[in-house]
Amino acid sequence: MEEHNLYSSYRFVSGAMNLLCSSLTHIVYLLTAPLLVFLARDFGLDNATAGYASTVHICFMGLFLFVGPVVIGKIDIRKTQILGVTLMLAGLFLSYISKSFPLFLLSRAVTGAGHGISGSCTHSVIAAWFPPREKSAAVTVNSLGIVAVTTLV
């Protein structure tokens, strides 16, 4: 097998960090669904209205999946990944302290933005730091981690 000098020797550490970040993002997203009944009760809403929390999260995640590569181009990928995780954690904290449903929806929007930015970083790291023969394995390991987290949650 030929040696690739252009690819990072720390790519497996980066791959492990990507797996952890992907797992965190999916735990953050998946935890909302079982809690919708409690959200409805706490905010005095019906279950359908409480379901907007998941919708807002997924809409902002989709939007920021397109914004992520632009941010990666402006600052490096590590700082972008840190920004994504920071947004997710800020959204989680905001959801913890929110006393109203609109504030809770805002927290889910912030969390979704972080989820989208982190998601684009994950795939960008795999595309940039892994040689062609290792890319499919890196994507597979990342996807298996997401499936494992989904199963556990």
Side-chain angles (χ1 to χ4, degrees):
M1 182 182 266
E2 53 189 274
E3 187 67 29
H4 294 279
N5 294 330
L6 297 175
Y7 299 103
S8 174
S9 58
Y10 296 105
R11 64 185 175 271
F12 297 107
V13 174
S14 173
M17 294 303 290
N18 272 340
L19 178 61
L20 288 173
C21 189
S22 295
S23 300
L24 172 68
T25 58
H26 284 79
I27 287 172
V28 166
Y29 173 67
L30 291 172
L31 282 179
T32 306
L35 299 176
L36 287 178
V37 175
F38 299 109
L39 286 171
R41 185 190 67 204
D42 291 346
F43 291 123
L45 305 168
D46 57 70
N47 289 345
T49 305
Y52 285 135
S54 293
T55 304
V56 166
H57 180 103
I58 203 80
C59 286
F60 274 82
M61 182 190 77
L63 175 68
F64 278 84
L65 275 169
F66 292 106
V67 173
V70 175
V71 176
I72 291 170
K74 300 285 184 195
I75 60 177
D76 75 357
I77 197 164
R78 287 173 286 178
K79 291 178 184 173
T80 307
Q81 185 81 333
I82 291 169
L83 174 67
V85 172
T86 303
L87 281 172
M88 278 192 299
L89 293 175
L92 285 175
F93 179 73
L94 189 60
S95 67
Y96 178 73
I97 64 169
S98 63
K99 301 290 184 199
S100 68
F101 190 63
L103 185 60
F104 184 77
L105 288 179
L106 176 67
S107 74
R108 295 311 293 173
V110 171
T111 307
H115 192 168
I117 290 173
S118 293
S120 59
C121 287
T122 298
H123 299 293
S124 295
V125 164
I126 291 171
W129 290 9
F130 285 84
R133 292 182 184 215
E134 295 176 3
K135 287 180 184 182
S136 62
V139 170
T140 301
V141 168
N142 194 40
S143 298
L144 286 174
I146 293 168
V147 170
V149 166
T150 304
T151 305
L152 293 174
V153 173

